[in-house]
Amino acid sequence: MIKNILSFLCLLFVLIACKDKTSKYKTSQVFRYNEKDNITTLDPAFAKNEPIVWATNQLYNGLVSFDDELNVVPSIAKKWNISKDNKVYDFTLRNDVYFHKNAVFGKDSTRTVTAHDFEYSIGRLLDPKVASSGRWVMQNVKSFKALNDSVFRMELHKAFPPFLGLLSMQYCSVVPKEAIEFYGTEFRSNPVGTGPFQFKMWVENTKLVFRKNPLYFEKDEKGKQLPYLEAIAVTFFADKQTEFLQFIQGNSDVLYDLHTSYKDELLSPVGDLLPKYKNKLAIDKAPYLIVEYIAFLMDGETVDNHPYIRKAISLGFDRAKMLRYLRNNIGTPATGFIPKGLPSHYKGALNTYHPEKAKQLIEKYKQETGDHNPTIKITTVSSYTDLFEFIQRELQGVGLAVKLEVLPSPVLRQLKANGKLPTFRVGWIADYPDGENFLSLFYSKNFAPQGPNYTHYSNPVFDELYEHSLAITDKKERIKIYKQMDSIIMADIPVVPLFYDEVVRFKHNNVKGLTTNATNLLELKRVYKTE
């Protein structure tokens, strides 16, 4: 009991201390959000999940970035030139970008960013001793070097049109050699970048505070320096209900996770904000580059892998009904594999609900195989149990028995990577916003566990189109090929797409300038709050 009281008092002291650190700033100038999952580092070389990506996006910049429409736009690189063979990229840098003031540059000092800093940062990303989770981003890079202080060159082994999109990832942020050498492994909690906000304090699992960077190089359309906010304060309440109550009580400015424990408190069954909140809150929705799907191991000899069964599963359940009743219409029924939000999204209707045709396929399977009680097993994780129980009931209605196996997420990941599951649930989120990222899951040279082709799908026509698309620099022509490849996937059915997710953010009405985008990146440099 005494130990518990002391622990509580220590936590209370920390919270009061953190509050004191930010109390001198007006609440209207501080953007507050809760991160229910822990942030383990503020080093962009390890920005492997959303909590870290959101935090590091405030602290760092790279050569390029994306706007809300997923167009590649300049960041520290003000322009670039690409060779005719699409292999050599020359980036010309701005000359007004400064690192955050830090003692590593001398007392309360800084310096400008040069091309040599990018040479160092990319080299660090590839250094085996660093063991960055982002090394794969540079797997196609043949060489890189600073031609002078202002021009940075990167050469690829082979043409890869989505390369600029890869460079927008936080992994590719510029960091100063002085800070890495001074802080060593402690750079994770002593970040020095160029971003719109700079590091102030971090009490791990309790509170994280960033301050406005007075030297930030970007300005708005009227010439006003960004960012508008004075500070960002992040809390770490892991409990969903606590997070929800903190938001409703006005202690945080945004709620970005729609959990089953409180979704009906905020939304109607069709996904509209309930009337009692309309004068207080706003809801933003946007396509999210995630596709949820059922995958089949194509080189297995199981009931699941029979083409009639796969087709019957695709036709045998009502996606729209599933989203309406279980997700308050958050998400869109899938029509292809590449999700909404990308121009290569396939708008075909090959997966529409058709229970009578599904029954016919099951009967045809029974007649041709002699198996009069076909049964399949679908493996999923606990957070998707309600969706798969719905699918289970729907498929039983068309004559297909379904057993559900619920496993911890790490176990499922290991088993699917090693080809140990005949049928399983997968959610794929884009690493970079290009249709190629989704289609690479079906390229035969990407078989798991070495690559992301968990289904072991192989089609020579698909492979030929995939390789051809990488040699095409014309974006519109490449999109046509992507759609053709998606249609092949939908015809062969190595997967059954379920739905495309949506970015859903609830915010208080006084929060302005907070936009949504299909990568669900948190952009705060243009956000401000009214009284």
Side-chain angles (χ1 to χ4, degrees):
M1 175 65 76
I2 293 175
K3 184 178 180 181
N4 289 340
I5 292 173
L6 288 174
S7 297
F8 173 76
L9 289 174
C10 288
L11 176 60
L12 185 61
F13 174 79
V14 168
L15 288 172
I16 292 172
C18 292
K19 185 176 181 180
D20 287 342
K21 295 280 188 178
T22 56
S23 60
K24 62 181 178 180
Y25 312 128
K26 291 182 180 179
T27 304
S28 61
Q29 295 177 313
V30 180
F31 184 87
R32 303 156 301 169
Y33 75 92
N34 184 66
E35 183 51 73
K36 65 185 182 303
D37 298 314
N38 188 26
I39 293 176
T40 56
T41 180
L42 295 173
D43 184 339
F46 301 94
K48 64 180 179 178
N49 58 35
E50 188 171 87
I52 304 173
V53 167
W54 279 22
T56 54
N57 187 52
Q58 318 310 323
L59 298 171
Y60 301 94
N61 297 99
L63 292 164
V64 298
S65 60
F66 275 102
D67 63 17
D68 286 340
E69 284 71 48
L70 303 184
N71 300 305
V72 177
V73 294
S75 186
I76 295 179
K78 62 182 179 181
K79 62 180 181 179
W80 51 87
N81 181 68
I82 305 173
S83 63
K84 290 183 178 179
D85 63 2
N86 218 34
K87 292 182 181 179
V88 180
Y89 293 69
D90 285 343
F91 298 91
T92 302
L93 309 188
R94 302 174 63 118
N95 62 4
D96 59 349
V97 180
Y98 292 85
F99 286 112
H100 299 151
K101 286 187 176 182
N102 193 278
V104 299
F105 304 115
K107 186 176 180 181
D108 194 30
S109 188
T110 180
R111 67 170 177 82
T112 56
V113 173
T114 72
H116 300 283
D117 292 308
F118 277 100
E119 183 176 316
Y120 171 78
S121 299
I122 299 301
R124 177 175 181 259
L125 191 65
L126 290 168
D127 187 348
K129 294 179 181 178
V130 175
S132 166
S133 51
R135 287 185 66 190
W136 65 271
V137 174
M138 296 295 155
Q139 61 188 352
N140 190 32
V141 174
K142 181 179 180 181
S143 65
F144 54 92
K145 63 180 178 179
L147 300 184
N148 51 49
D149 283 353
S150 301
V151 180
F152 181 61
R153 171 171 289 179
M154 303 187 78
E155 183 178 358
L156 307 184
H157 288 290
K158 59 183 179 180
F160 187 67
F163 183 61
L164 285 174
L166 282 174
L167 292 181
S168 72
M169 300 179 72
Q170 271 62 44
Y171 288 131
C172 304
S173 301
V174 68
V175 295
K177 181 179 181 180
E178 297 96 322
I180 301 296
E181 290 183 344
F182 181 83
Y183 290 114
T185 57
E186 292 306 307
F187 183 75
R188 63 174 288 277
S189 55
N190 293 275
V192 181
T194 61
F197 298 90
Q198 58 192 18
F199 178 74
K200 179 64 177 177
M201 62 159 293
W202 184 18
V203 180
E204 294 193 42
N205 297 312
T206 303
K207 196 154 191 175
L208 174 65
V209 178
F210 299 150
R211 284 289 315 278
K212 178 179 183 176
N213 173 15
L215 301 177
Y216 191 57
F217 61 92
E218 286 193 87
K219 294 179 172 62
D220 66 13
E221 295 75 11
K222 296 181 180 179
K224 184 175 180 180
Q225 187 179 18
L226 299 174
Y228 303 134
L229 293 165
E230 183 62 36
I232 299 171
V234 186
T235 53
F236 295 89
F237 297 111
D239 180 71
K240 303 280 189 181
Q241 281 297 323
T242 302
E243 180 182 52
F244 173 68
L245 290 173
Q246 285 291 307
F247 173 68
I248 292 298
Q249 292 168 5
N251 296 324
S252 64
D253 295 306
V254 66
L255 183 68
Y256 55 87
D257 184 28
L258 188 66
H259 193 257
T260 53
S261 65
Y262 56 72
K263 66 181 179 66
D264 293 328
E265 170 64 22
L266 289 169
L267 296 178
S268 71
V270 296
D272 295 329
L273 194 64
L274 292 177
K276 65 179 179 178
Y277 290 118
K278 286 190 175 180
N279 292 329
K280 302 176 183 178
L281 307 176
I283 179 173
D284 291 333
K285 298 181 185 179
Y288 195 0
L289 298 187
I290 295 181
V291 59
E292 299 284 350
Y293 62 100
I294 299 171
F296 306 99
L297 187 62
M298 296 296 285
D299 51 13
E301 297 292 333
T302 62
V303 174
D304 319 44
N305 194 31
H306 195 285
Y308 294 160
I309 297 295
R310 298 200 311 271
K311 183 69 172 178
I313 293 172
S314 180
L315 298 172
F317 65 97
D318 189 339
R319 292 165 176 78
K321 183 179 178 182
M322 177 179 71
L323 293 174
R324 185 167 61 250
Y325 289 111
L326 298 178
R327 288 178 56 88
N328 294 69
N329 267 351
I330 301 301
T332 306
T335 58
F337 196 76
I338 298 174
K340 290 179 67 176
L342 288 175
S344 50
H345 167 59
Y346 179 67
K347 299 182 178 65
L350 297 177
N351 292 322
T352 50
Y353 180 48
H354 202 313
E356 289 304 317
K357 189 175 289 187
K359 287 180 182 178
Q360 293 171 10
L361 287 165
I362 298 298
E363 288 302 316
K364 195 172 182 180
Y365 167 84
K366 292 177 180 179
Q367 293 172 8
E368 292 188 10
T369 65
D371 179 5
H372 297 289
N373 296 292
T375 302
I376 67 169
K377 181 174 71 174
I378 302 177
T379 305
T380 184
V381 294
S382 59
S383 57
Y384 285 82
T385 302
D386 58 342
L387 296 180
F388 280 92
E389 286 176 345
F390 172 86
I391 293 172
Q392 180 184 48
R393 291 191 297 270
E394 293 268 291
L395 293 180
Q396 285 174 342
V398 299
L400 180 63
V402 178
K403 294 180 179 179
L404 297 182
E405 179 181 42
V406 180
L407 296 177
S409 185
V411 176
L412 192 152
R413 281 198 301 269
Q414 182 179 14
L415 292 175
K416 77 178 182 184
N418 291 293
K420 301 297 184 181
L421 299 174
T423 306
F424 48 96
R425 171 261 163 194
V426 185
W428 184 262
I429 180 171
D431 296 305
Y432 46 92
D434 191 277
E436 182 276 338
N437 190 226
F438 291 89
L439 297 171
S440 65
L441 274 67
F442 305 99
Y443 184 46
S444 64
K445 293 182 181 180
N446 284 343
F447 273 20
Q450 285 73 33
N453 187 342
Y454 303 116
T455 64
H456 287 192
Y457 171 76
S458 179
N459 182 320
V461 176
F462 180 93
D463 284 354
E464 184 178 351
L465 287 169
Y466 179 82
E467 292 170 358
H468 178 54
S469 71
L470 298 182
I472 295 176
T473 57
D474 183 88
K475 188 174 181 179
K476 291 183 179 179
E477 186 62 29
R478 199 164 69 249
I479 287 171
K480 288 181 183 178
I481 296 176
Y482 286 171
K483 290 183 177 181
Q484 184 179 352
M485 294 162 68
D486 204 345
S487 68
I488 292 173
I489 294 299
M490 291 302 94
D492 289 349
I493 318 180
V495 295
V496 171
L498 304 177
F499 64 94
Y500 313 124
D501 210 343
E502 285 185 307
V503 175
V504 179
R505 289 182 185 168
F506 300 92
K507 62 187 180 184
H508 291 279
N509 284 333
N510 69 325
V511 175
K512 309 296 181 182
L514 182 64
T515 59
T516 54
N517 54 74
T519 61
N520 198 27
L521 187 63
L522 185 64
E523 287 282 6
L524 296 178
K525 61 189 175 186
R526 294 177 181 270
V527 170
Y528 63 97
K529 293 164 67 176
T530 58
E531 296 291 346

